[in-house]
PDB file of all heavy atoms in Angstrom:
ATOM      1  N   LYS A 169     -62.252 -18.865  88.241  1.00 90.00           N
ATOM      2  CA  LYS A 169     -62.551 -20.255  88.652  1.00 90.00           C
ATOM      3  C   LYS A 169     -61.471 -20.703  89.754  1.00 90.00           C
ATOM      4  O   LYS A 169     -61.494 -21.818  90.187  1.00 90.00           O
ATOM      5  CB  LYS A 169     -62.501 -21.245  87.598  1.00 90.00           C
ATOM      6  CG  LYS A 169     -63.563 -20.920  86.396  1.00 90.00           C
ATOM      7  CD  LYS A 169     -63.504 -21.908  85.337  1.00 90.00           C
ATOM      8  CE  LYS A 169     -64.722 -21.676  84.340  1.00 90.00           C
ATOM      9  NZ  LYS A 169     -64.631 -22.447  83.145  1.00 90.00           N
ATOM     10  N   LEU A 170     -60.556 -19.891  89.942  1.00 89.00           N
ATOM     11  CA  LEU A 170     -59.573 -20.119  90.972  1.00 89.00           C
ATOM     12  C   LEU A 170     -59.381 -18.879  91.730  1.00 89.00           C
ATOM     13  O   LEU A 170     -59.222 -17.705  91.269  1.00 89.00           O
ATOM     14  CB  LEU A 170     -58.205 -20.463  90.358  1.00 89.00           C
ATOM     15  CG  LEU A 170     -57.091 -20.785  91.327  1.00 89.00           C
ATOM     16  CD1 LEU A 170     -57.332 -22.086  91.986  1.00 89.00           C
ATOM     17  CD2 LEU A 170     -55.694 -20.905  90.567  1.00 89.00           C
ATOM     18  N   ALA A 171     -59.536 -18.792  93.071  1.00 88.00           N
ATOM     19  CA  ALA A 171     -59.441 -17.750  93.959  1.00 88.00           C
ATOM     20  C   ALA A 171     -58.012 -17.129  93.900  1.00 88.00           C
ATOM     21  O   ALA A 171     -57.113 -17.936  93.918  1.00 88.00           O
ATOM     22  CB  ALA A 171     -59.872 -18.016  95.470  1.00 88.00           C
ATOM     23  N   ARG A 172     -57.928 -15.866  94.079  1.00 91.00           N
ATOM     24  CA  ARG A 172     -56.552 -15.124  94.115  1.00 91.00           C
ATOM     25  C   ARG A 172     -55.802 -15.812  95.324  1.00 91.00           C
ATOM     26  O   ARG A 172     -54.641 -15.992  95.255  1.00 91.00           O
ATOM     27  CB  ARG A 172     -56.848 -13.753  94.310  1.00 91.00           C
ATOM     28  CG  ARG A 172     -55.578 -12.950  94.362  1.00 91.00           C
ATOM     29  CD  ARG A 172     -55.665 -11.426  94.613  1.00 91.00           C
ATOM     30  NE  ARG A 172     -54.325 -10.838  94.804  1.00 91.00           N
ATOM     31  CZ  ARG A 172     -53.631 -10.323  93.662  1.00 91.00           C
ATOM     32  NH1 ARG A 172     -54.225 -10.212  92.483  1.00 91.00           N
ATOM     33  NH2 ARG A 172     -52.480  -9.803  93.839  1.00 91.00           N
ATOM     34  N   SER A 173     -56.432 -16.013  96.531  1.00 90.00           N
ATOM     35  CA  SER A 173     -55.760 -16.482  97.645  1.00 90.00           C
ATOM     36  C   SER A 173     -55.202 -17.934  97.390  1.00 90.00           C
ATOM     37  O   SER A 173     -54.060 -18.191  97.829  1.00 90.00           O
ATOM     38  CB  SER A 173     -56.710 -16.536  98.897  1.00 90.00           C
ATOM     39  OG  SER A 173     -57.834 -17.290  98.546  1.00 90.00           O
ATOM     40  N   VAL A 174     -55.915 -18.664  96.591  1.00 89.00           N
ATOM     41  CA  VAL A 174     -55.392 -20.023  96.216  1.00 89.00           C
ATOM     42  C   VAL A 174     -54.109 -19.903  95.372  1.00 89.00           C
ATOM     43  O   VAL A 174     -53.176 -20.577  95.456  1.00 89.00           O
ATOM     44  CB  VAL A 174     -56.532 -20.895  95.632  1.00 89.00           C
ATOM     45  CG1 VAL A 174     -55.862 -22.211  95.078  1.00 89.00           C
ATOM     46  CG2 VAL A 174     -57.562 -21.077  96.582  1.00 89.00           C
ATOM     47  N   ALA A 175     -54.239 -18.950  94.389  1.00 92.00           N
ATOM     48  CA  ALA A 175     -53.083 -18.768  93.488  1.00 92.00           C
ATOM     49  C   ALA A 175     -51.894 -18.225  94.242  1.00 92.00           C
ATOM     50  O   ALA A 175     -50.699 -18.657  93.939  1.00 92.00           O
ATOM     51  CB  ALA A 175     -53.458 -17.705  92.377  1.00 92.00           C
ATOM     52  N   VAL A 176     -52.061 -17.339  95.141  1.00 93.00           N
ATOM     53  CA  VAL A 176     -51.022 -16.942  96.055  1.00 93.00           C
ATOM     54  C   VAL A 176     -50.381 -17.968  96.876  1.00 93.00           C
ATOM     55  O   VAL A 176     -49.129 -18.150  96.907  1.00 93.00           O
ATOM     56  CB  VAL A 176     -51.554 -15.731  96.884  1.00 93.00           C
ATOM     57  CG1 VAL A 176     -50.420 -15.392  98.015  1.00 93.00           C
ATOM     58  CG2 VAL A 176     -51.895 -14.475  96.135  1.00 93.00           C
ATOM     59  N   ASN A 177     -51.173 -18.891  97.423  1.00 91.00           N
ATOM     60  CA  ASN A 177     -50.679 -19.952  98.179  1.00 91.00           C
ATOM     61  C   ASN A 177     -49.962 -20.968  97.243  1.00 91.00           C
ATOM     62  O   ASN A 177     -48.874 -21.629  97.552  1.00 91.00           O
ATOM     63  CB  ASN A 177     -51.785 -20.740  98.799  1.00 91.00           C
ATOM     64  CG  ASN A 177     -52.248 -20.094 100.094  1.00 91.00           C
ATOM     65  OD1 ASN A 177     -51.558 -19.293 100.756  1.00 91.00           O
ATOM     66  ND2 ASN A 177     -53.505 -20.298 100.405  1.00 91.00           N
ATOM     67  N   MET A 178     -50.372 -21.155  95.950  1.00 93.00           N
ATOM     68  CA  MET A 178     -49.699 -21.977  95.034  1.00 93.00           C
ATOM     69  C   MET A 178     -48.219 -21.464  94.882  1.00 93.00           C
ATOM     70  O   MET A 178     -47.315 -22.224  94.691  1.00 93.00           O
ATOM     71  CB  MET A 178     -50.373 -22.042  93.737  1.00 93.00           C
ATOM     72  CG  MET A 178     -51.527 -22.982  93.785  1.00 93.00           C
ATOM     73  SD  MET A 178     -52.422 -23.176  92.206  1.00 93.00           S
ATOM     74  CE  MET A 178     -51.190 -24.283  91.442  1.00 93.00           C
ATOM     75  N   LEU A 179     -48.122 -20.178  94.815  1.00 93.00           N
ATOM     76  CA  LEU A 179     -46.764 -19.534  94.546  1.00 93.00           C
ATOM     77  C   LEU A 179     -45.784 -19.842  95.661  1.00 93.00           C
ATOM     78  O   LEU A 179     -44.523 -19.789  95.510  1.00 93.00           O
ATOM     79  CB  LEU A 179     -46.883 -18.071  94.316  1.00 93.00           C
ATOM     80  CG  LEU A 179     -47.600 -17.549  93.027  1.00 93.00           C
ATOM     81  CD1 LEU A 179     -47.765 -16.092  93.032  1.00 93.00           C
ATOM     82  CD2 LEU A 179     -46.853 -18.120  91.829  1.00 93.00           C
ATOM     83  N   SER A 180     -46.253 -20.125  96.843  1.00 92.00           N
ATOM     84  CA  SER A 180     -45.398 -20.420  98.025  1.00 92.00           C
ATOM     85  C   SER A 180     -44.841 -21.921  97.884  1.00 92.00           C
ATOM     86  O   SER A 180     -43.923 -22.217  98.661  1.00 92.00           O
ATOM     87  CB  SER A 180     -46.213 -20.251  99.334  1.00 92.00           C
ATOM     88  OG  SER A 180     -47.140 -21.215  99.525  1.00 92.00           O
ATOM     89  N   PHE A 181     -45.397 -22.666  97.011  1.00 93.00           N
ATOM     90  CA  PHE A 181     -44.814 -24.077  96.876  1.00 93.00           C
ATOM     91  C   PHE A 181     -43.770 -24.138  95.850  1.00 93.00           C
ATOM     92  O   PHE A 181     -43.681 -23.187  94.943  1.00 93.00           O
ATOM     93  CB  PHE A 181     -45.993 -24.982  96.484  1.00 93.00           C
ATOM     94  CG  PHE A 181     -46.877 -25.366  97.618  1.00 93.00           C
ATOM     95  CD1 PHE A 181     -47.934 -24.507  97.955  1.00 93.00           C
ATOM     96  CD2 PHE A 181     -46.630 -26.511  98.425  1.00 93.00           C
ATOM     97  CE1 PHE A 181     -48.856 -24.946  99.020  1.00 93.00           C
ATOM     98  CE2 PHE A 181     -47.530 -26.822  99.380  1.00 93.00           C
ATOM     99  CZ  PHE A 181     -48.566 -26.074  99.657  1.00 93.00           C
ATOM    100  N   PRO A 182     -42.819 -25.044  95.840  1.00 93.00           N
ATOM    101  CA  PRO A 182     -41.761 -25.156  94.823  1.00 93.00           C
ATOM    102  C   PRO A 182     -42.524 -25.316  93.335  1.00 93.00           C
ATOM    103  O   PRO A 182     -43.543 -25.915  93.363  1.00 93.00           O
ATOM    104  CB  PRO A 182     -41.055 -26.453  95.143  1.00 93.00           C
ATOM    105  CG  PRO A 182     -41.314 -26.700  96.666  1.00 93.00           C
ATOM    106  CD  PRO A 182     -42.743 -26.083  96.885  1.00 93.00           C
ATOM    107  N   GLU A 183     -41.941 -24.605  92.491  1.00 92.00           N
ATOM    108  CA  GLU A 183     -42.567 -24.587  91.126  1.00 92.00           C
ATOM    109  C   GLU A 183     -42.871 -26.043  90.530  1.00 92.00           C
ATOM    110  O   GLU A 183     -43.820 -26.181  90.040  1.00 92.00           O
ATOM    111  CB  GLU A 183     -41.530 -23.809  90.233  1.00 92.00           C
ATOM    112  CG  GLU A 183     -42.255 -23.212  88.977  1.00 92.00           C
ATOM    113  CD  GLU A 183     -41.484 -22.163  88.299  1.00 92.00           C
ATOM    114  OE1 GLU A 183     -40.668 -21.513  88.862  1.00 92.00           O
ATOM    115  OE2 GLU A 183     -41.879 -22.023  87.126  1.00 92.00           O
ATOM    116  N   LYS A 184     -41.848 -26.918  90.877  1.00 93.00           N
ATOM    117  CA  LYS A 184     -42.061 -28.443  90.345  1.00 93.00           C
ATOM    118  C   LYS A 184     -43.357 -29.005  90.862  1.00 93.00           C
ATOM    119  O   LYS A 184     -43.869 -29.902  90.358  1.00 93.00           O
ATOM    120  CB  LYS A 184     -40.754 -29.136  90.644  1.00 93.00           C
ATOM    121  CG  LYS A 184     -40.576 -29.381  92.056  1.00 93.00           C
ATOM    122  CD  LYS A 184     -39.249 -30.274  92.268  1.00 93.00           C
ATOM    123  CE  LYS A 184     -38.900 -30.497  93.687  1.00 93.00           C
ATOM    124  NZ  LYS A 184     -39.952 -30.955  94.567  1.00 93.00           N
ATOM    125  N   ASP A 185     -43.928 -28.556  92.072  1.00 92.00           N
ATOM    126  CA  ASP A 185     -45.007 -29.249  92.660  1.00 92.00           C
ATOM    127  C   ASP A 185     -46.357 -28.474  92.403  1.00 92.00           C
ATOM    128  O   ASP A 185     -47.407 -29.087  92.793  1.00 92.00           O
ATOM    129  CB  ASP A 185     -44.786 -29.181  94.242  1.00 92.00           C
ATOM    130  CG  ASP A 185     -43.591 -29.950  94.692  1.00 92.00           C
ATOM    131  OD1 ASP A 185     -43.155 -30.854  93.955  1.00 92.00           O
ATOM    132  OD2 ASP A 185     -43.047 -29.643  95.767  1.00 92.00           O
ATOM    133  N   ARG A 186     -46.344 -27.431  91.720  1.00 93.00           N
ATOM    134  CA  ARG A 186     -47.587 -26.564  91.513  1.00 93.00           C
ATOM    135  C   ARG A 186     -48.619 -27.251  90.657  1.00 93.00           C
ATOM    136  O   ARG A 186     -49.750 -27.253  90.914  1.00 93.00           O
ATOM    137  CB  ARG A 186     -47.199 -25.201  91.039  1.00 93.00           C
ATOM    138  CG  ARG A 186     -46.378 -24.308  92.082  1.00 93.00           C
ATOM    139  CD  ARG A 186     -46.036 -23.008  91.594  1.00 93.00           C
ATOM    140  NE  ARG A 186     -45.166 -22.402  92.448  1.00 93.00           N
ATOM    141  CZ  ARG A 186     -44.214 -21.508  92.131  1.00 93.00           C
ATOM    142  NH1 ARG A 186     -44.231 -21.016  90.944  1.00 93.00           N
ATOM    143  NH2 ARG A 186     -43.492 -21.045  93.063  1.00 93.00           N
ATOM    144  N   GLU A 187     -48.124 -27.941  89.658  1.00 93.00           N
ATOM    145  CA  GLU A 187     -49.031 -28.659  88.726  1.00 93.00           C
ATOM    146  C   GLU A 187     -49.778 -29.660  89.469  1.00 93.00           C
ATOM    147  O   GLU A 187     -51.057 -29.851  89.384  1.00 93.00           O
ATOM    148  CB  GLU A 187     -48.235 -29.196  87.471  1.00 93.00           C
ATOM    149  CG  GLU A 187     -49.212 -29.691  86.428  1.00 93.00           C
ATOM    150  CD  GLU A 187     -49.745 -28.584  85.584  1.00 93.00           C
ATOM    151  OE1 GLU A 187     -48.953 -27.634  85.140  1.00 93.00           O
ATOM    152  OE2 GLU A 187     -50.929 -28.619  85.172  1.00 93.00           O
TER     153      GLU A 187
END
Side-chain angles (χ1 to χ4, degrees):
K169 294 179 180 173
L170 181 71
R172 181 185 177 93
S173 59
V174 173
V176 168
N177 284 332
M178 285 183 76
L179 292 176
S180 68
F181 285 84
E183 200 162 341
K184 65 180 178 52
D185 297 336
R186 292 177 191 158
E187 190 79 42

